[in-house]
């Protein structure tokens, strides 16, 4: 790795990269912090098929915390995509090729699902006095479903598992840890796979940061 004047070598081509890429893996740490903050800030929402009146009453009572949670979730999506972009580059430089693209694609699906859910939360909190109860009930059902995000988690974790096994770009135990998360994600949707994926991303971020962005083949 070249540390002269804040640059480093990234990729097998040994091209010098700007110094900011040294910190790029830590975008995953920021994502995890925002994910936890959003989850802690959020209140327990009504059950999936609650009446529209109950949904509107809930979001009226928790307007401020709901908006704060949605904002944190939206910011989390931003850092998730930054992390996934870096992870794709990291894996591709180690020979993951198409699997690295699948990893990034899975993260994009997670991001779309997370952003959509945050948007629904914000809409219900902002429009609790304007939205028709029937519309609120429909939005409440969509809000209670984590399905788009967990589909993305399954793709992200399966592709990461295969990439690590093939390339050893990350420790093997970290690759195997991705497999049960992917399997959990395909059962009835809950927040558990998202939190588990967040922990995995946190660990992977730290591992890549400690390695300093090196892409030489690991043992």
């Amino acid at each position: 790795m070249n540390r002269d004047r804040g640059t480093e070598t990234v990729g097998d081509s040994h091209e010098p990269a700007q110094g900011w890429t040294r910190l790029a893996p830590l975008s995953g740490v920021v994502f995890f912090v925002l994910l936890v903050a959003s989850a802690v800030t959020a209140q327990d929402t009504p059950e999936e098929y609650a009446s529209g009146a109950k949904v509107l009453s809930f979001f009226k009572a928790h307007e401020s915390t709901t908006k704060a949670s949605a904002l944190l979730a939206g910011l989390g999506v931003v850092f998730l995509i930054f992390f996934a972009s870096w992870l794709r580059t990291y894996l591709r430089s180690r020979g993951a090729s198409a699997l690295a693209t699948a990893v990034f694609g899975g993260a994009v699906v997670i991001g779309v699902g997370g952003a959509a859910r945050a948007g629904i939360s914000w809409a219900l909190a902002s429009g609790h006095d304007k939205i028709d109860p029937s519309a609120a009930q429909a939005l409440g059902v969509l809000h209670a479903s984590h399905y788009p995000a967990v589909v993305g988690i399954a793709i992200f974790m399966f592709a990461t598992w295969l990439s690590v096994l093939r390339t050893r770009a990350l420790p093997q135990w970290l690759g195997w840890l991705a497999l049960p998360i992917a399997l959990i994600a395909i059962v009835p949707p809950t927040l558990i796979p998202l939190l588990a994926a967040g922990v995995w991303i946190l660990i992977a971020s730290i591992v890549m940061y400690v390695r300093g962005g090196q892409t030489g083949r690991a043992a």
Side-chain angles (χ1 to χ4, degrees):
M1 183 190 308
N2 177 15
R3 295 185 179 275
D4 183 36
R5 295 184 182 179
T7 61
E8 61 189 38
T9 299
V10 178
D12 294 335
S13 61
H14 303 290
E15 295 179 358
Q18 296 299 320
W20 68 268
T21 60
R22 176 70 175 89
L23 300 176
L26 294 182
S27 54
V29 176
V30 179
F31 162 71
F32 178 77
V33 171
L34 290 168
L35 172 66
V36 172
S38 177
V40 169
T41 305
Q43 304 293 318
D44 289 334
T45 55
E47 60 274 12
E48 186 173 1
Y49 294 105
S51 67
K54 186 174 182 179
V55 170
L56 291 174
S57 176
F58 170 85
F59 283 98
K60 178 180 179 180
H62 303 286
E63 180 177 356
S64 297
T65 54
T66 297
K67 287 183 175 180
S69 178
L71 179 60
L72 290 168
L75 290 173
V77 168
V78 173
F79 283 94
L80 170 64
I81 298 304
F82 279 133
F83 170 77
S85 180
W86 172 259
L87 181 59
R88 176 179 60 176
T89 299
Y90 186 84
L91 293 174
R92 284 177 65 88
S93 71
R94 301 292 295 271
S97 60
L99 285 172
T101 301
V103 170
F104 183 74
V108 170
V109 176
I110 298 171
V112 169
R117 193 169 192 269
I120 292 172
S121 295
W122 189 281
L124 285 168
S126 297
H128 60 78
D129 56 345
K130 302 179 183 67
I131 298 176
D132 183 83
S134 60
Q137 184 177 27
L139 289 172
V141 172
L142 292 173
H143 183 269
S145 174
H146 305 287
Y147 203 79
V150 296
V151 168
I153 291 170
I155 298 169
F156 180 84
M157 291 284 95
F158 268 127
T160 301
W161 169 59
L162 292 171
S163 295
V164 174
L165 289 185
R166 176 180 176 182
T167 67
R168 296 181 178 270
L170 292 169
Q172 291 287 282
W173 62 266
L174 190 56
W176 281 106
L177 184 60
L179 179 58
I181 299 174
L183 294 175
I184 292 171
I186 61 178
V187 301
T190 66
L191 277 175
I192 294 176
L194 179 58
L195 294 174
V199 172
W200 189 95
I201 288 173
L202 172 68
I203 297 171
S205 296
I206 294 172
V207 168
M208 288 191 291
Y209 175 74
V210 169
R211 290 183 173 184
Q214 296 182 66
T215 55
R217 185 167 294 277

